[in-house]
Amino acid sequence: MMSITVGGVVITDVVQQRAELQTVRAQLAAIYDRFDPRVPERLLAREAEIVTLVNRAEGLREIVERWDQAKIARANILAGWEIVQAFTEGDA
């Protein structure tokens, strides 16, 4: 079973984090719908909400990326093992 440790917490699946990340991104997209960067003051009333969502999105993105990197590393190690097994069987 694959797992990663983030902030001292062992994570064995990131399906929930991926779904939450999509939700948070959609919430941010809705906030910034029709946003005019020339007038950021229009969103000042939502600054705390924006900061909270951005921080949550970054944390979730980090977890998902670490999971994906670990998954690739695991696949590379298993591929190496298969090659070693093939060499060993060829020597028999």
Side-chain angles (χ1 to χ4, degrees):
M1 168 174 34
M2 193 173 116
S3 67
I4 59 172
T5 303
V6 178
V9 176
V10 176
I11 298 172
T12 59
D13 187 15
V14 294
V15 171
Q16 183 177 356
Q17 287 86 350
R18 283 186 198 280
E20 185 180 352
L21 179 57
Q22 292 305 315
T23 299
V24 171
R25 286 179 174 170
Q27 290 171 324
L28 283 166
I31 290 170
Y32 280 96
D33 185 44
R34 298 185 185 139
F35 174 67
D36 183 350
R38 295 171 295 173
V39 194
E41 295 79 12
R42 291 182 182 161
L43 289 179
L44 281 177
R46 299 187 80 176
E47 178 192 10
E49 178 185 8
I50 290 168
V51 169
T52 298
L53 288 170
V54 166
N55 288 338
R56 185 64 183 148
E58 281 301 300
L60 291 165
R61 183 192 56 77
E62 179 183 332
I63 290 168
V64 169
E65 284 182 1
R66 286 186 57 192
W67 179 269
D68 291 345
Q69 291 168 353
K71 190 174 179 180
I72 290 168
R74 186 174 193 264
N76 287 340
I77 291 167
L78 290 173
W81 173 248
E82 288 177 15
I83 290 172
V84 167
Q85 293 298 93
F87 291 159
T88 304
E89 290 171 5
D91 291 341

Coordinates of all heavy atoms in Angstrom, one line a residue:
M1 N 0.8 -1.2 0.0 CA 0.0 0.0 0.0 C 0.9 1.2 0.0 O 1.9 1.3 0.7 CB -0.9 0.0 1.2 CG -1.6 1.3 1.4 SD -2.8 1.5 2.7 CE -2.3 0.5 4.0
M2 N 0.5 2.2 -0.8 CA 1.3 3.4 -1.0 C 0.8 4.4 0.1 O -0.4 4.5 0.4 CB 1.1 4.0 -2.4 CG 2.1 5.1 -2.7 SD 1.9 5.6 -4.4 CE 1.4 7.2 -4.2
S3 N 1.8 5.2 0.6 CA 1.4 6.3 1.5 C 2.5 7.4 1.5 O 3.6 7.1 1.1 CB 1.3 5.7 3.0 OG 2.5 5.3 3.5
I4 N 2.1 8.6 1.9 CA 3.0 9.7 2.1 C 2.7 10.3 3.5 O 1.6 10.1 4.0 CB 2.9 10.8 1.0 CG1 1.4 11.4 1.0 CG2 3.3 10.2 -0.4 CD1 1.3 12.6 0.0
T5 N 3.7 11.0 4.0 CA 3.5 11.7 5.3 C 3.6 13.2 5.1 O 4.6 13.6 4.5 CB 4.5 11.2 6.3 OG1 4.4 9.8 6.5 CG2 4.3 11.8 7.7
V6 N 2.5 13.9 5.5 CA 2.5 15.3 5.3 C 2.2 15.9 6.7 O 1.1 15.6 7.2 CB 1.4 15.7 4.3 CG1 1.4 17.3 4.2 CG2 1.7 15.1 2.9
G7 N 3.1 16.7 7.2 CA 2.9 17.3 8.5 C 2.6 16.3 9.6 O 1.8 16.6 10.5
G8 N 3.3 15.2 9.5 CA 3.2 14.2 10.5 C 1.9 13.3 10.4 O 1.7 12.4 11.2
V9 N 1.1 13.5 9.3 CA -0.1 12.7 9.1 C 0.2 11.8 7.9 O 0.7 12.2 6.9 CB -1.3 13.6 8.8 CG1 -2.5 12.8 8.4 CG2 -1.5 14.6 9.9
V10 N -0.1 10.5 8.1 CA 0.1 9.5 7.0 C -1.1 9.5 6.2 O -2.3 9.4 6.6 CB 0.3 8.1 7.6 CG1 0.4 7.1 6.5 CG2 1.6 8.1 8.5
I11 N -0.9 9.7 4.9 CA -2.0 9.8 3.9 C -1.9 8.5 3.0 O -0.8 8.3 2.4 CB -1.9 11.1 3.1 CG1 -2.1 12.3 4.0 CG2 -3.0 11.1 2.0 CD1 -1.9 13.6 3.3
T12 N -3.0 7.8 2.9 CA -2.9 6.6 2.0 C -3.8 6.7 0.8 O -3.8 5.7 0.0 CB -3.4 5.3 2.9 OG1 -4.7 5.6 3.3 CG2 -2.5 5.1 4.1
D13 N -4.4 7.8 0.6 CA -5.2 8.0 -0.6 C -5.5 9.5 -0.7 O -5.7 10.2 0.3 CB -6.6 7.3 -0.5 CG -7.4 7.3 -1.7 OD1 -6.9 7.7 -2.8 OD2 -8.6 7.0 -1.6
V14 N -5.5 10.0 -1.9 CA -5.7 11.5 -2.1 C -7.0 11.8 -2.9 O -7.1 12.9 -3.4 CB -4.5 12.2 -2.7 CG1 -3.3 12.1 -1.8 CG2 -4.2 11.6 -4.1
V15 N -7.9 10.9 -3.0 CA -9.1 11.1 -3.8 C -9.9 12.3 -3.2 O -10.3 13.2 -3.9 CB -10.0 9.8 -3.8 CG1 -11.4 10.1 -4.4 CG2 -9.3 8.7 -4.6
Q16 N -10.0 12.3 -1.8 CA -10.7 13.4 -1.2 C -10.0 14.7 -1.4 O -10.6 15.7 -1.6 CB -10.8 13.1 0.3 CG -11.6 14.1 1.1 CD -11.7 13.7 2.6 OE1 -11.3 12.7 3.0 NE2 -12.4 14.6 3.3
Q17 N -8.7 14.7 -1.3 CA -7.9 16.0 -1.5 C -8.0 16.5 -2.9 O -8.1 17.7 -3.1 CB -6.4 15.8 -1.1 CG -6.2 15.6 0.4 CD -6.3 14.2 0.9 OE1 -6.8 13.3 0.2 NE2 -5.9 14.0 2.2
R18 N -8.0 15.6 -3.9 CA -8.2 16.0 -5.3 C -9.6 16.6 -5.5 O -9.7 17.7 -6.1 CB -8.1 14.8 -6.2 CG -6.7 14.4 -6.5 CD -6.6 13.3 -7.5 NE -5.4 12.5 -7.5 CZ -4.2 12.9 -8.1 NH1 -4.2 14.1 -8.7 NH2 -3.2 12.2 -8.0
A19 N -10.6 16.0 -4.9 CA -11.9 16.6 -5.0 C -12.1 17.9 -4.4 O -12.6 18.9 -4.9 CB -13.0 15.6 -4.5
E20 N -11.5 18.0 -3.2 CA -11.6 19.3 -2.4 C -10.8 20.4 -3.2 O -11.2 21.5 -3.2 CB -11.0 19.1 -1.0 CG -11.2 20.4 -0.2 CD -10.7 20.3 1.2 OE1 -10.3 19.2 1.7 OE2 -10.6 21.3 1.9
L21 N -9.6 20.0 -3.8 CA -8.9 21.0 -4.5 C -9.7 21.5 -5.7 O -9.7 22.8 -5.9 CB -7.6 20.4 -5.0 CG -6.7 21.2 -5.9 CD1 -6.3 22.5 -5.1 CD2 -5.4 20.4 -6.3
Q22 N -10.4 20.7 -6.4 CA -11.3 21.1 -7.5 C -12.4 22.1 -7.0 O -12.7 23.1 -7.6 CB -11.9 19.9 -8.2 CG -10.9 19.1 -9.0 CD -10.0 19.9 -9.9 OE1 -10.5 20.8 -10.7 NE2 -8.7 19.7 -9.9
T23 N -12.9 21.7 -5.8 CA -14.0 22.6 -5.2 C -13.4 24.0 -4.9 O -14.0 25.0 -5.2 CB -14.6 21.9 -4.0 OG1 -15.2 20.7 -4.4 CG2 -15.6 22.8 -3.3
V24 N -12.2 24.0 -4.2 CA -11.6 25.2 -3.8 C -11.3 26.1 -5.0 O -11.5 27.3 -5.1 CB -10.4 25.0 -2.9 CG1 -9.6 26.3 -2.7 CG2 -10.8 24.4 -1.6
R25 N -10.7 25.4 -6.1 CA -10.4 26.2 -7.3 C -11.7 26.8 -7.9 O -11.7 27.9 -8.4 CB -9.7 25.3 -8.3 CG -8.3 25.0 -7.9 CD -7.6 24.0 -8.9 NE -6.2 23.9 -8.6 CZ -5.4 23.0 -9.2 NH1 -5.9 22.2 -10.1 NH2 -4.2 22.9 -8.9
A26 N -12.8 26.0 -7.9 CA -14.0 26.5 -8.4 C -14.6 27.7 -7.6 O -15.1 28.7 -8.2 CB -15.1 25.4 -8.5
Q27 N -14.4 27.6 -6.3 CA -14.8 28.7 -5.4 C -14.0 30.0 -5.7 O -14.5 31.1 -5.8 CB -14.6 28.4 -4.0 CG -15.6 27.3 -3.5 CD -15.3 26.8 -2.1 OE1 -14.2 26.7 -1.7 NE2 -16.4 26.5 -1.4
L28 N -12.7 29.8 -5.9 CA -11.8 31.0 -6.3 C -12.2 31.5 -7.6 O -12.3 32.8 -7.8 CB -10.4 30.6 -6.2 CG -9.8 30.5 -4.8 CD1 -8.4 29.8 -4.9 CD2 -9.6 31.9 -4.2
A29 N -12.5 30.6 -8.6 CA -12.8 31.1 -9.9 C -14.1 31.9 -9.9 O -14.3 32.9 -10.6 CB -13.0 29.9 -10.9
A30 N -15.1 31.5 -9.0 CA -16.4 32.2 -8.9 C -16.1 33.6 -8.3 O -16.7 34.5 -8.7 CB -17.3 31.4 -8.1
I31 N -15.3 33.6 -7.3 CA -15.0 34.9 -6.7 C -14.3 35.9 -7.7 O -14.7 37.1 -7.8 CB -14.0 34.8 -5.5 CG1 -14.8 34.1 -4.3 CG2 -13.5 36.1 -5.0 CD1 -13.9 33.6 -3.2
Y32 N -13.4 35.4 -8.5 CA -12.7 36.2 -9.5 C -13.4 36.3 -10.8 O -12.9 37.0 -11.8 CB -11.3 35.7 -9.7 CG -10.4 36.1 -8.6 CD1 -10.1 35.2 -7.5 CD2 -9.8 37.3 -8.6 CE1 -9.3 35.6 -6.5 CE2 -8.9 37.7 -7.6 CZ -8.7 36.9 -6.5 OH -7.8 37.3 -5.5
D33 N -14.6 35.8 -11.0 CA -15.4 36.0 -12.2 C -15.6 37.4 -12.4 O -16.1 38.2 -11.5 CB -16.7 35.2 -12.1 CG -17.5 35.3 -13.4 OD1 -16.9 35.1 -14.4 OD2 -18.7 35.5 -13.3
R34 N -15.3 37.9 -13.6 CA -15.4 39.3 -14.0 C -14.6 40.2 -13.2 O -14.8 41.4 -13.1 CB -16.9 39.8 -13.9 CG -17.8 39.0 -14.8 CD -19.2 39.5 -14.8 NE -20.1 38.7 -15.6 CZ -21.3 38.3 -15.3 NH1 -21.8 38.8 -14.2 NH2 -22.0 37.6 -16.1
F35 N -13.5 39.7 -12.6 CA -12.6 40.5 -11.8 C -11.8 41.5 -12.8 O -11.4 41.1 -13.8 CB -11.5 39.6 -11.1 CG -10.5 40.3 -10.4 CD1 -10.7 41.1 -9.3 CD2 -9.1 40.3 -10.9 CE1 -9.7 41.8 -8.6 CE2 -8.1 41.0 -10.2 CZ -8.4 41.7 -9.1
D36 N -11.7 42.7 -12.3 CA -10.9 43.7 -13.0 C -9.7 44.0 -12.2 O -9.8 44.7 -11.2 CB -11.8 45.0 -13.3 CG -11.1 46.0 -14.1 OD1 -9.8 45.9 -14.3 OD2 -11.7 47.0 -14.5
P37 N -8.5 43.6 -12.7 CA -7.3 43.8 -11.9 C -6.9 45.3 -11.8 O -6.1 45.6 -10.9 CB -6.2 43.1 -12.7 CG -6.7 42.9 -14.1 CD -8.2 42.8 -13.9
R38 N -7.6 46.1 -12.5 CA -7.3 47.6 -12.4 C -8.0 48.1 -11.1 O -7.7 49.2 -10.6 CB -7.8 48.4 -13.6 CG -7.0 48.0 -14.9 CD -7.6 48.6 -16.1 NE -9.0 48.0 -16.3 CZ -9.9 48.3 -17.1 NH1 -9.6 49.3 -17.9 NH2 -11.0 47.7 -17.2
V39 N -9.0 47.3 -10.6 CA -9.8 47.8 -9.4 C -9.9 46.6 -8.4 O -11.0 46.1 -8.1 CB -11.2 48.2 -9.9 CG1 -11.8 49.0 -8.7 CG2 -11.1 49.1 -11.1
P40 N -8.7 46.2 -7.9 CA -8.8 45.1 -6.9 C -9.6 45.4 -5.6 O -10.0 44.5 -4.9 CB -7.3 44.8 -6.6 CG -6.6 46.1 -6.9 CD -7.4 46.7 -8.1
E41 N -9.7 46.7 -5.4 CA -10.5 47.1 -4.2 C -11.9 46.5 -4.1 O -12.5 46.4 -3.1 CB -10.5 48.7 -4.1 CG -9.2 49.3 -3.9 CD -8.4 49.4 -5.2 OE1 -8.9 49.2 -6.3 OE2 -7.2 49.8 -5.1
R42 N -12.4 46.2 -5.3 CA -13.8 45.6 -5.3 C -13.9 44.3 -4.6 O -15.0 43.9 -4.2 CB -14.3 45.5 -6.7 CG -14.5 46.8 -7.4 CD -15.0 46.6 -8.8 NE -15.2 47.9 -9.5 CZ -15.3 48.1 -10.8 NH1 -15.3 47.0 -11.6 NH2 -15.5 49.3 -11.3
L43 N -12.8 43.7 -4.3 CA -12.8 42.4 -3.6 C -12.2 42.5 -2.2 O -12.1 41.5 -1.5 CB -12.0 41.3 -4.4 CG -12.6 40.8 -5.7 CD1 -11.7 39.8 -6.4 CD2 -14.0 40.2 -5.4
L44 N -12.0 43.7 -1.7 CA -11.4 43.9 -0.4 C -12.3 43.2 0.7 O -11.8 42.7 1.6 CB -11.2 45.4 -0.1 CG -10.0 46.0 -0.7 CD1 -9.9 47.5 -0.3 CD2 -8.7 45.3 -0.2
A45 N -13.6 43.3 0.5 CA -14.5 42.7 1.5 C -14.4 41.2 1.6 O -14.8 40.6 2.6 CB -16.0 43.1 1.1
R46 N -13.8 40.6 0.5 CA -13.6 39.1 0.5 C -12.2 38.7 0.7 O -11.9 37.5 0.5 CB -14.2 38.6 -0.8 CG -15.7 38.9 -1.0 CD -16.3 38.3 -2.2 NE -16.6 36.9 -1.8 CZ -17.2 36.1 -2.7 NH1 -17.6 36.5 -3.9 NH2 -17.5 34.8 -2.3
E47 N -11.3 39.6 1.1 CA -9.9 39.3 1.2 C -9.7 38.1 2.1 O -8.9 37.2 1.8 CB -9.1 40.5 1.8 CG -7.6 40.2 1.9 CD -6.9 41.2 2.7 OE1 -7.5 42.2 3.3 OE2 -5.7 41.1 2.7
A48 N -10.3 38.1 3.3 CA -10.0 37.0 4.3 C -10.5 35.7 3.6 O -9.7 34.6 3.8 CB -10.8 37.2 5.6
E49 N -11.6 35.6 3.0 CA -12.1 34.4 2.3 C -11.1 34.0 1.2 O -10.8 32.8 1.1 CB -13.4 34.7 1.7 CG -14.0 33.5 1.0 CD -15.4 33.9 0.3 OE1 -15.8 35.0 0.3 OE2 -16.0 32.9 -0.2
I50 N -10.6 35.0 0.4 CA -9.7 34.7 -0.7 C -8.4 34.1 -0.1 O -7.9 33.1 -0.6 CB -9.4 35.9 -1.5 CG1 -10.7 36.3 -2.3 CG2 -8.2 35.7 -2.4 CD1 -10.6 37.7 -2.9
V51 N -7.9 34.7 0.9 CA -6.6 34.2 1.5 C -6.8 32.8 2.1 O -5.9 31.9 1.9 CB -6.1 35.2 2.6 CG1 -5.0 34.6 3.5 CG2 -5.7 36.5 2.0
T52 N -7.9 32.5 2.7 CA -8.2 31.2 3.3 C -8.2 30.2 2.2 O -7.6 29.1 2.2 CB -9.5 31.2 4.1 OG1 -9.3 32.1 5.2 CG2 -9.8 29.8 4.6
L53 N -9.0 30.5 1.1 CA -9.1 29.6 0.0 C -7.8 29.4 -0.7 O -7.4 28.2 -1.1 CB -10.2 30.1 -1.0 CG -11.6 30.0 -0.5 CD1 -12.5 30.7 -1.5 CD2 -12.0 28.5 -0.4
V54 N -7.0 30.4 -0.9 CA -5.7 30.3 -1.6 C -4.8 29.4 -0.8 O -4.1 28.5 -1.3 CB -5.1 31.7 -1.9 CG1 -3.6 31.6 -2.3 CG2 -5.9 32.4 -3.0
N55 N -4.7 29.6 0.5 CA -3.9 28.8 1.4 C -4.3 27.4 1.4 O -3.5 26.5 1.3 CB -3.9 29.4 2.8 CG -3.1 30.7 2.9 OD1 -2.3 31.0 2.1 ND2 -3.4 31.4 4.0
R56 N -5.6 27.1 1.4 CA -6.1 25.7 1.3 C -5.8 25.1 0.0 O -5.4 23.9 0.0 CB -7.6 25.7 1.6 CG -8.2 24.3 1.7 CD -7.7 23.6 2.9 NE -8.2 22.2 2.9 CZ -7.5 21.2 3.4 NH1 -6.3 21.3 3.9 NH2 -8.0 20.0 3.3
A57 N -6.0 25.8 -1.1 CA -5.6 25.3 -2.4 C -4.2 24.9 -2.5 O -3.8 23.9 -3.0 CB -6.0 26.3 -3.5
E58 N -3.3 25.8 -2.0 CA -1.9 25.5 -2.0 C -1.5 24.3 -1.2 O -0.7 23.5 -1.6 CB -1.1 26.7 -1.5 CG -0.9 27.8 -2.6 CD -0.2 27.3 -3.9 OE1 0.9 26.8 -3.8 OE2 -0.9 27.3 -4.9
G59 N -2.1 24.2 0.0 CA -1.8 23.0 0.8 C -2.3 21.7 0.1 O -1.6 20.7 0.1
L60 N -3.5 21.7 -0.5 CA -4.0 20.6 -1.2 C -3.2 20.3 -2.4 O -2.9 19.1 -2.7 CB -5.5 20.8 -1.6 CG -6.5 20.9 -0.4 CD1 -7.8 21.5 -0.9 CD2 -6.7 19.5 0.2
R61 N -2.8 21.3 -3.1 CA -2.0 21.1 -4.3 C -0.6 20.4 -4.0 O -0.2 19.5 -4.6 CB -1.7 22.4 -5.0 CG -0.9 22.3 -6.3 CD -0.4 23.6 -6.8 NE 0.4 24.4 -5.8 CZ 1.7 24.1 -5.6 NH1 2.3 23.1 -6.2 NH2 2.3 24.8 -4.6
E62 N -0.1 20.8 -2.9 CA 1.2 20.2 -2.4 C 1.0 18.7 -2.1 O 1.8 17.9 -2.5 CB 1.7 21.0 -1.2 CG 3.0 20.4 -0.6 CD 3.5 21.0 0.6 OE1 3.2 22.2 0.8 OE2 4.2 20.3 1.4
I63 N -0.1 18.4 -1.4 CA -0.4 17.0 -1.1 C -0.5 16.2 -2.3 O 0.1 15.1 -2.5 CB -1.6 16.9 -0.2 CG1 -1.3 17.5 1.2 CG2 -2.1 15.5 -0.1 CD1 -2.5 17.7 2.1
V64 N -1.3 16.7 -3.3 CA -1.6 15.9 -4.5 C -0.3 15.8 -5.3 O 0.0 14.7 -5.8 CB -2.7 16.6 -5.3 CG1 -2.8 16.1 -6.7 CG2 -4.0 16.5 -4.6
E65 N 0.5 16.8 -5.4 CA 1.7 16.7 -6.2 C 2.7 15.8 -5.5 O 3.4 15.0 -6.2 CB 2.4 18.1 -6.3 CG 1.7 19.0 -7.3 CD 2.4 20.4 -7.5 OE1 3.4 20.6 -6.8 OE2 1.9 21.1 -8.3
R66 N 2.8 15.8 -4.2 CA 3.7 14.9 -3.5 C 3.2 13.4 -3.7 O 4.0 12.5 -3.9 CB 3.8 15.2 -2.0 CG 4.6 16.4 -1.8 CD 4.8 16.7 -0.3 NE 5.5 15.6 0.4 CZ 5.5 15.5 1.7 NH1 5.0 16.4 2.5 NH2 6.1 14.5 2.3
W67 N 1.9 13.2 -3.7 CA 1.3 11.9 -4.0 C 1.7 11.4 -5.4 O 2.2 10.3 -5.6 CB -0.2 11.9 -3.8 CG -0.8 10.6 -4.1 CD1 -1.3 10.1 -5.3 CD2 -1.0 9.5 -3.1 NE1 -1.8 8.9 -5.1 CE2 -1.6 8.5 -3.8 CE3 -0.7 9.4 -1.8 CZ2 -1.9 7.3 -3.2 CZ3 -1.0 8.2 -1.2 CH2 -1.6 7.1 -1.9
D68 N 1.5 12.3 -6.4 CA 1.8 12.0 -7.8 C 3.3 11.7 -7.9 O 3.6 10.7 -8.7 CB 1.3 13.1 -8.7 CG -0.2 13.2 -8.8 OD1 -0.9 12.3 -8.3 OD2 -0.6 14.3 -9.3
Q69 N 4.2 12.4 -7.3 CA 5.6 12.2 -7.4 C 6.0 10.8 -6.7 O 6.8 10.1 -7.3 CB 6.4 13.3 -6.7 CG 6.3 14.6 -7.5 CD 6.8 15.8 -6.7 OE1 7.1 15.7 -5.5 NE2 6.9 16.9 -7.3
A70 N 5.3 10.5 -5.6 CA 5.6 9.3 -4.9 C 5.1 8.1 -5.8 O 5.7 7.0 -5.8 CB 4.9 9.2 -3.6
K71 N 4.0 8.3 -6.5 CA 3.4 7.3 -7.3 C 4.4 7.0 -8.5 O 4.6 5.8 -8.8 CB 2.0 7.7 -7.8 CG 1.2 6.7 -8.5 CD -0.1 7.2 -8.9 CE -1.0 6.2 -9.6 NZ -2.3 6.7 -9.9
I72 N 4.9 8.0 -9.1 CA 5.9 7.9 -10.2 C 7.1 7.1 -9.7 O 7.6 6.2 -10.3 CB 6.2 9.2 -10.8 CG1 5.0 9.7 -11.6 CG2 7.4 9.1 -11.7 CD1 5.1 11.2 -12.0
A73 N 7.6 7.6 -8.5 CA 8.9 7.0 -8.0 C 8.6 5.5 -7.7 O 9.5 4.6 -8.0 CB 9.3 7.7 -6.7
R74 N 7.4 5.2 -7.2 CA 7.1 3.8 -6.9 C 7.0 3.0 -8.2 O 7.6 1.8 -8.2 CB 5.7 3.7 -6.2 CG 5.3 2.4 -5.7 CD 4.0 2.5 -4.9 NE 3.7 1.3 -4.2 CZ 2.9 0.4 -4.6 NH1 2.3 0.5 -5.7 NH2 2.7 -0.7 -3.8
A75 N 6.4 3.5 -9.2 CA 6.4 2.8 -10.5 C 7.7 2.6 -11.1 O 8.0 1.5 -11.6 CB 5.5 3.6 -11.5
N76 N 8.6 3.6 -10.9 CA 10.0 3.4 -11.4 C 10.7 2.3 -10.7 O 11.5 1.5 -11.3 CB 10.8 4.8 -11.3 CG 10.3 5.8 -12.3 OD1 9.7 5.5 -13.3 ND2 10.6 7.1 -11.9
I77 N 10.6 2.3 -9.4 CA 11.2 1.2 -8.6 C 10.7 -0.2 -9.0 O 11.5 -1.1 -9.2 CB 11.1 1.5 -7.1 CG1 11.9 2.7 -6.7 CG2 11.5 0.3 -6.3 CD1 11.6 3.3 -5.4
L78 N 9.4 -0.3 -9.2 CA 8.8 -1.6 -9.6 C 9.2 -2.0 -11.0 O 9.5 -3.1 -11.2 CB 7.3 -1.5 -9.5 CG 6.7 -1.4 -8.0 CD1 5.2 -1.2 -8.0 CD2 7.1 -2.7 -7.3
A79 N 9.4 -1.0 -11.9 CA 9.9 -1.3 -13.2 C 11.3 -1.8 -13.2 O 11.6 -2.7 -13.9 CB 9.8 0.0 -14.1
G80 N 12.1 -1.2 -12.3 CA 13.5 -1.7 -12.1 C 13.5 -3.1 -11.6 O 14.3 -3.9 -12.1
W81 N 12.6 -3.4 -10.7 CA 12.5 -4.7 -10.1 C 12.1 -5.7 -11.2 O 12.7 -6.8 -11.3 CB 11.5 -4.8 -9.0 CG 11.2 -6.1 -8.5 CD1 10.0 -6.8 -8.6 CD2 12.1 -7.0 -7.8 NE1 10.2 -8.1 -8.0 CE2 11.4 -8.2 -7.5 CE3 13.4 -6.9 -7.4 CZ2 12.0 -9.3 -6.8 CZ3 14.0 -8.0 -6.7 CH2 13.3 -9.1 -6.4
E82 N 11.2 -5.4 -12.1 CA 10.8 -6.3 -13.2 C 12.0 -6.6 -14.1 O 12.2 -7.7 -14.6 CB 9.7 -5.7 -13.9 CG 8.3 -5.7 -13.1 CD 7.2 -5.0 -13.9 OE1 7.3 -4.8 -15.1 OE2 6.2 -4.8 -13.2
I83 N 12.8 -5.6 -14.3 CA 14.0 -5.7 -15.2 C 15.0 -6.7 -14.5 O 15.5 -7.6 -15.2 CB 14.6 -4.4 -15.6 CG1 13.7 -3.6 -16.5 CG2 16.0 -4.6 -16.2 CD1 14.1 -2.2 -16.8
V84 N 15.2 -6.5 -13.3 CA 16.1 -7.3 -12.5 C 15.6 -8.8 -12.5 O 16.4 -9.7 -12.7 CB 16.3 -6.8 -11.1 CG1 17.0 -7.9 -10.2 CG2 17.1 -5.5 -11.0
Q85 N 14.3 -8.9 -12.3 CA 13.7 -10.3 -12.4 C 13.9 -10.9 -13.8 O 14.2 -12.1 -13.9 CB 12.2 -10.2 -12.0 CG 12.0 -9.9 -10.6 CD 12.6 -10.9 -9.6 OE1 13.7 -10.7 -9.2 NE2 11.9 -11.9 -9.3
A86 N 13.7 -10.1 -14.8 CA 13.9 -10.6 -16.2 C 15.4 -11.1 -16.4 O 15.6 -12.1 -17.0 CB 13.5 -9.6 -17.2
F87 N 16.3 -10.3 -15.9 CA 17.7 -10.6 -16.0 C 18.0 -11.9 -15.3 O 18.7 -12.8 -15.8 CB 18.6 -9.5 -15.5 CG 18.7 -8.3 -16.3 CD1 19.0 -7.1 -15.7 CD2 18.3 -8.2 -17.6 CE1 19.1 -5.9 -16.4 CE2 18.3 -7.0 -18.3 CZ 18.7 -5.9 -17.7
T88 N 17.5 -12.0 -14.1 CA 17.7 -13.2 -13.2 C 17.1 -14.4 -13.9 O 17.8 -15.5 -13.9 CB 17.1 -13.0 -11.8 OG1 17.6 -11.8 -11.3 CG2 17.3 -14.2 -10.9
E89 N 15.9 -14.3 -14.5 CA 15.3 -15.5 -15.1 C 16.1 -15.8 -16.4 O 16.2 -17.0 -16.7 CB 13.9 -15.1 -15.5 CG 12.9 -15.0 -14.3 CD 11.6 -14.5 -14.6 OE1 11.3 -14.3 -15.8 OE2 10.8 -14.3 -13.7
G90 N 16.7 -14.9 -17.1 CA 17.5 -15.1 -18.3 C 18.8 -15.9 -17.9 O 19.3 -16.6 -18.8
D91 N 19.3 -15.7 -16.7 CA 20.5 -16.3 -16.3 C 20.3 -17.8 -15.9 O 21.2 -18.5 -15.8 CB 21.2 -15.6 -15.1 CG 21.7 -14.2 -15.6 OD1 21.9 -14.0 -16.8 OD2 21.9 -13.4 -14.7
A92 N 19.0 -18.1 -15.7 CA 18.8 -19.5 -15.1 C 19.0 -20.6 -16.2 O 19.1 -20.5 -17.3 CB 17.3 -19.5 -14.6

